[in-house]
Amino acid sequence: MFDDTLHFLANHLESPDWARLGEHLPYEWVEQAVLSTEAASIRHRRLPAEQVVWLMVALALYRHKSISEVLDDLGLAVPDSQTPFVSKSAAAQARQRVGQAPLKWLFERSARHWVAQDKKAYLFKGLQLFAMDGTTLRTHDTVENREHFGAQSYASDTVASYPQVRGVTVTSLPTHLVHSAVFGPYSTNEMLYAKQLLGTIPNESLTVFDRGFLSAEILCGLTGSGAERHFIIPSKSNTKWEAIEGESEDMLVRMRVSPQARAKCPELPEFWEARAITVVDAQARKRILLTSLRDRRRYKPSDIALCYDKRWGIETSYRELKQTMLGTALTLRSKTVDGVYQEIWGTLIAYNLIRLEIAKAALAVKCEPTEVSFIRAFHLIQFELHWAGVTRSYGKLPASMKHLRERLVSLLNDERPGRKCDRAVKATPKRYAVRKVKKLP
């Protein structure tokens, strides 16, 4: 029975059909994701597991459309002359059957492969550049979501109106491709999520952290395992150390590990060392950066400061994902816990597909991927996929993708000469206008 099902899928779902949603996601990966997580469909369905995986990726690309519209516009369902359209209930049931596991497997497989593809073109003195940071996403306010994810609590004993998902990601700084991610309940501290991601960071790499991750357990766990895994992180105002050697602007320091940290993790040493560099930003503010890059000749303070300045690029990635792709939606689509996780993994795959196309286009014209507009790339990919779904011209996909990359960089030099990406802290935009009430005399 199972062999017959695979034979049916192979005959009816040819590889060019899968390629419409991205030439970088081989059908074999999707098939393996389904088989390895035991989510394959035994019955002949209009929405087998493989198609549901594609549906979740497509839903992230077309956040403004309903599930039914995405299914119809892209032709994701297996053709059936008797029932040309798939009902909403059938799509919901298909998502429940598949669950989140295949999407998570596919993200992890594709992300590592895509980040490693062109790493030689984006090395910093032989090291891959990454950044780690956290973010949150809001979900529908259902009993199940609130019990599982929880919500932010305030000092006034009030709780946020919507449950929230907390997550931490490791992102490639040159290309903004998400390398690895972990998501879960809001009540779980970011440090616990960060520890889960340490093992995913590759050797010969440099990871830039926000000061919130300043912890001996995190940083020693990174450098103590693997080969040539380094960090850069700003010190806190209350960070204490003892100078070992060097000058005040560039010195080697030793810090004591707290007894509480050693009680939780007995493997930690009593002391740990780092290089402390004092840098001055554009606003003439001094900042001390701690790093494991001790070779002063190879890694100059200006180089280290430049690497840290790129860290905020991960925050623009969150903006692209949450505001551009999700359309600043108040909540995610899904109303169940498993559906939320499934949607997040599908969104991350879709985001990486866009970022990968940008990286390929940038390599073709020898510019930085960050110089290519994400919004422009996102709209072009939406158009190309919709065109492929309407025309069903699968054989024209290579030429279409080539044309897409040419359009991505066609106005690069004219529209963005000498573009600068200095960080600017802006006020959070309000969803609703605030009415000002005059006080009575």
Side-chain angles (χ1 to χ4, degrees):
M1 175 73 72
F2 187 70
D3 292 338
D4 293 341
T5 302
L6 292 181
H7 180 70
F8 170 82
L9 292 174
N11 290 336
H12 289 77
L13 306 176
E14 299 176 357
S15 56
D17 185 35
W18 298 101
R20 292 202 331 266
L21 284 179
E23 63 175 359
H24 306 292
L25 270 178
Y27 167 72
E28 291 76 16
W29 287 5
V30 180
E31 185 181 48
Q32 191 174 354
V34 170
L35 294 177
S36 62
T37 56
E38 300 180 353
S41 303
I42 303 301
R43 292 173 51 192
H44 294 178
R45 302 181 183 273
R46 292 210 59 197
L47 279 177
E50 292 83 354
Q51 296 294 79
V52 176
V53 171
W54 279 121
L55 171 63
M56 296 312 302
V57 176
L59 287 177
L61 295 172
Y62 298 93
R63 181 62 176 82
H64 60 289
K65 293 188 176 184
S66 67
I67 294 180
S68 300
E69 288 178 310
V70 174
L71 285 170
D72 296 339
D73 291 350
L74 299 184
L76 291 176
V78 176
D80 188 339
S81 58
Q82 296 182 350
T83 54
F85 301 103
V86 178
S87 64
K88 293 183 179 179
S89 60
Q93 292 172 7
R95 288 187 57 189
Q96 293 173 1
R97 288 194 305 269
V98 173
Q100 62 160 314
L103 275 300
K104 181 181 179 181
W105 188 99
L106 185 60
F107 164 77
E108 292 174 347
R109 171 67 180 271
S110 61
R112 285 158 179 73
H113 178 77
W114 293 339
V115 171
Q117 259 188 0
D118 304 311
K119 67 177 183 180
K120 292 184 179 179
Y122 301 109
L123 294 180
F124 165 73
K125 297 184 182 296
L127 301 175
Q128 288 182 267
L129 276 178
F130 295 99
M132 179 185 288
D133 206 355
T135 188
T136 59
L137 294 167
R138 287 176 293 188
T139 73
H140 282 278
D141 189 14
T142 65
V143 175
E144 182 185 7
N145 285 344
R146 190 168 286 275
E147 289 180 352
H148 179 82
F149 294 114
Q152 183 178 6
S153 299
Y154 302 99
S156 57
D157 293 332
T158 58
V159 182
S161 302
Y162 293 90
Q164 292 171 293
V165 183
R166 188 188 296 279
V168 175
T169 64
V170 175
T171 300
S172 171
L173 282 179
T175 61
H176 287 194
L177 282 162
V178 180
H179 177 269
S180 51
V182 59
F183 288 86
Y186 182 84
S187 58
T188 303
N189 191 282
E190 285 186 351
M191 304 292 283
L192 298 178
Y193 290 135
K195 283 188 266 186
Q196 297 180 38
L197 292 179
L198 290 181
T200 67
I201 299 176
N203 295 330
E204 299 178 347
S205 62
L206 173 60
T207 304
V208 186
F209 294 87
D210 182 69
R211 61 167 47 89
F213 294 97
L214 181 54
S215 162
E217 187 175 1
I218 296 293
L219 302 179
C220 292
L222 175 69
T223 58
S225 59
E228 295 295 321
R229 300 202 304 172
H230 297 279
F231 66 83
I232 299 176
I233 189 170
S235 66
K236 297 180 180 180
S237 58
N238 60 350
T239 304
K240 298 180 180 180
W241 57 63
E242 174 190 355
I244 299 177
E245 63 178 45
E247 302 176 355
S248 59
E249 302 297 316
D250 187 354
M251 57 184 175
L252 185 65
V253 300
R254 183 174 67 173
M255 291 163 281
R256 181 184 295 275
V257 180
S258 67
Q260 296 82 358
R262 296 190 68 194
K264 293 181 181 179
C265 185
E267 296 81 11
L268 289 175
E270 185 177 355
F271 296 93
W272 65 288
E273 298 179 356
R275 181 182 172 191
I277 299 171
T278 301
V279 297
V280 181
D281 60 18
Q283 286 76 33
R285 296 175 300 184
K286 286 188 176 182
R287 177 187 289 115
I288 299 179
L289 300 178
L290 301 175
T291 180
S292 57
L293 299 172
R294 298 192 183 188
D295 190 339
R296 291 187 174 91
R297 291 185 178 181
R298 182 173 177 80
Y299 306 105
K300 299 179 180 179
S302 58
D303 296 333
I304 295 174
L306 183 61
C307 286
Y308 179 76
D309 287 341
K310 294 181 179 180
R311 187 209 68 84
W312 74 274
I314 191 173
E315 297 180 13
T316 64
S317 294
Y318 290 146
R319 181 192 64 194
E320 293 161 355
L321 194 150
K322 296 163 68 172
Q323 296 186 19
T324 303
M325 290 185 61
L326 299 183
T328 63
L330 189 62
T331 64
L332 297 171
R333 288 179 185 261
S334 307
K335 296 184 179 181
T336 64
V337 172
D338 196 61
V340 167
Y341 285 116
Q342 186 188 59
E343 183 177 351
I344 291 174
W345 295 123
T347 302
L348 289 175
I349 295 172
Y351 177 78
N352 274 355
L353 276 170
I354 298 171
R355 271 291 162 196
L356 185 61
E357 277 302 323
I358 291 176
K360 296 296 183 183
L363 278 176
V365 297
K366 299 181 180 180
C367 72
E368 295 295 326
T370 51
E371 295 183 60
V372 181
S373 168
F374 179 84
I375 296 178
R376 177 175 172 81
F378 177 54
H379 291 165
L380 284 175
I381 288 174
Q382 283 181 319
F383 173 79
E384 294 289 347
L385 292 179
H386 178 75
W387 176 83
V390 171
T391 62
R392 305 296 194 268
S393 300
Y394 308 142
K396 296 182 180 180
L397 181 72
S400 173
M401 298 308 293
K402 179 182 178 181
H403 176 61
L404 182 147
R405 291 172 187 168
E406 292 174 349
R407 293 179 64 188
L408 283 180
V409 297
S410 60
L411 300 177
L412 176 63
N413 295 329
D414 295 334
E415 290 187 349
R416 298 188 165 199
R419 183 186 181 219
K420 294 183 179 180
C421 300
D422 297 331
R423 182 176 184 181
V425 180
K426 300 181 180 180
T428 304
K430 303 298 182 182
R431 182 174 291 272
Y432 304 106
V434 178
R435 185 176 60 180
K436 296 183 179 180
V437 180
K438 295 182 178 180
K439 294 183 179 181
L440 297 176

